[in-house]
Amino acid sequence: RMTQDAATPADNPLLDFSGLPRFADFSPAQITPALDALLAQAADAVARVTRADAPVDWASLVEPLEDATERLTRAWGVVGHLNSVADTPELRAAYNENLPRVTQFWTELGQNRALYERYQALHDSPAFARLDPARQRTVTLALQGFKLGGVELVSPQRERFQALSERQAALGQKYSENVLDATDAFEWLTEDARALDGLPEDAIAAARQSAQAAGKTGYRLTLHFPSYYPVMQYAHSRELRETLYRAYVTRASEVAVAPDDATRRAELDNSAIMDELLALRQEEAKLLGYANYAQVSLVPKMADTPEQVIRFLRDLATRARPFAERDLQAM
């Protein structure tokens, strides 16, 4: 059902749902106009399905809403993906400019009482039993999502939940930006090809090309996965593997090794962001009536309680340890 509306601007790839995403045709300037259209379409769909005279059935309630929100999800997913893998100042600015209103839409959708009541009415109606299992599951998950979205909250908790959602979205984006910038800030250089002993020829060639692209001589390794992973997998030098590993696992932390500038390194430290995110998640869990955020996280998952997860992991570790010890002895 993801076909292109006649009124959709044909020159905006974010509004073309006729095939695979048109990544090659994308530019950051297209984000805002695309979201203008998609958010308006989604809001219109919400208004139509919640009218007093709108039928409460799959075709009249679920399909129109799913179609409109799927378009928004797909377009924003393309933007988010490119923001993660092809970051530029222009794209980052456009993404951050639009993130609050996308977050606001989803938060308000999750707290739309009229919409929630219509899904509940569909779930409680005789028509629900006639739906196939996949559609029944869709309705059930939607109701679950409403409850986790704070639909049952009242003021001032309702507004506080919205503020928590928006703040967490902003912090999550800043966290990702810091990791990306810290990754970009690290490089390891050598003139001696023997330091790369063990690496496949294509990885060595890539290291040489990376140095050339950076205007340097010799070989250049980075923390980007195509450069990092072959070193961890194949490099003979334990010292080289340790250097890259320590740099990789401490990115954007208080013990990071990059960037060289201490002030900039402190700016990229995600420690305070993590502390605030944990506090916000705990507050969100309390608003929803849960003891902690781990309980909230498990609501849509197979495990029932955080304690069950911990018991499973400890049991798994106990069973795996003898095999790990055997591998260590062999090494």
Side-chain angles (χ1 to χ4, degrees):
R1 294 181 58 86
M2 292 175 63
T3 56
Q4 188 163 333
D5 293 339
T8 294
D11 59 345
N12 193 324
L14 292 174
L15 297 175
D16 180 5
F17 304 103
S18 60
L20 296 174
R22 291 161 49 192
F23 291 112
D25 300 326
F26 170 84
S27 75
Q30 296 160 333
I31 297 175
T32 297
L35 288 176
D36 288 342
L38 293 169
L39 287 169
Q41 291 172 14
D44 180 65
V46 173
R48 282 188 285 110
V49 303
T50 54
R51 287 201 314 260
D53 59 345
V56 180
D57 56 45
W58 178 272
S60 301
L61 172 62
V62 183
E63 280 192 7
L65 187 64
E66 289 289 328
D67 285 349
T69 55
E70 173 62 21
R71 288 168 177 256
L72 175 62
T73 298
R74 177 168 169 177
W76 188 242
V78 170
V79 175
H81 173 68
L82 290 174
N83 187 55
S84 298
V85 302
D87 178 56
T88 65
E90 295 78 16
L91 176 53
R92 182 177 292 190
Y95 184 89
N96 286 329
E97 178 185 346
N98 285 282
L99 178 61
R101 62 178 183 151
V102 173
T103 303
Q104 181 182 12
F105 170 80
W106 288 112
T107 303
E108 291 179 352
L109 184 73
Q111 294 188 343
N112 189 312
R113 187 77 188 188
L115 191 59
Y116 167 63
E117 290 174 351
R118 286 184 168 267
Y119 268 84
Q120 189 66 60
L122 174 58
H123 181 272
D124 296 340
S125 71
F128 182 78
R130 296 192 293 271
L131 296 176
D132 62 53
R135 292 185 174 186
Q136 290 184 355
R137 181 65 171 161
T138 297
V139 175
T140 301
L141 289 178
L143 289 171
Q144 184 183 86
F146 279 117
K147 292 178 180 179
L148 292 179
V151 72
E152 297 176 336
L153 297 176
V154 296
S155 297
Q157 289 83 6
R158 182 185 184 89
E159 290 75 19
R160 179 56 184 167
F161 189 92
Q162 293 176 347
L164 290 174
S165 298
E166 293 172 7
R167 180 59 177 165
Q168 287 182 73
L171 287 172
Q173 170 59 12
K174 180 59 177 172
Y175 183 101
S176 298
E177 288 178 0
N178 286 351
V179 172
L180 193 59
D181 289 345
T183 302
D184 290 339
F186 177 88
E187 65 177 7
W188 181 89
L189 296 163
T190 184
E191 298 279 351
D192 187 358
R194 293 173 299 179
L196 305 181
D197 282 352
L199 268 65
E201 285 300 321
D202 61 338
I204 295 174
R208 187 184 302 112
Q209 292 169 2
S210 177
Q212 293 172 352
K216 298 175 181 178
T217 59
Y219 303 86
R220 178 175 180 265
L221 299 175
T222 72
L223 298 181
H224 292 286
F225 212 67
S227 177
Y228 171 79
Y229 189 65
V231 173
M232 301 310 300
Q233 193 170 18
Y234 298 111
H236 290 172
S237 171
R238 179 172 184 159
E239 291 74 21
L240 176 58
R241 296 197 309 272
E242 180 180 359
T243 296
L244 263 67
Y245 176 79
R246 287 186 179 276
Y248 189 86
V249 300
T250 61
R251 289 171 300 161
S253 75
E254 74 279 10
V255 293
V257 298
D260 293 334
D261 178 75
T263 300
R264 180 59 176 154
R265 191 163 63 247
E267 291 173 351
L268 299 181
D269 181 4
N270 274 331
S271 301
I273 292 178
M274 287 190 284
D275 287 340
E276 185 176 355
L277 278 172
L278 289 171
L280 295 176
R281 288 180 176 183
Q282 178 66 15
E283 184 180 354
E284 176 185 322
K286 291 288 188 180
L287 284 175
L288 294 174
Y290 294 91
N292 52 63
Y293 190 80
Q295 293 181 351
V296 177
S297 176
L298 288 178
V299 171
K301 298 174 183 174
M302 292 179 66
D304 297 320
T305 65
E307 293 75 21
Q308 187 183 64
V309 174
I310 293 171
R311 285 196 303 270
F312 171 80
L313 292 174
R314 287 178 174 165
D315 179 63
L316 184 64
T318 299
R319 295 171 186 269
R321 185 179 181 112
F323 298 94
E325 290 175 339
R326 185 193 313 166
D327 289 346
L328 181 61
Q329 291 170 2
M331 291 177 63

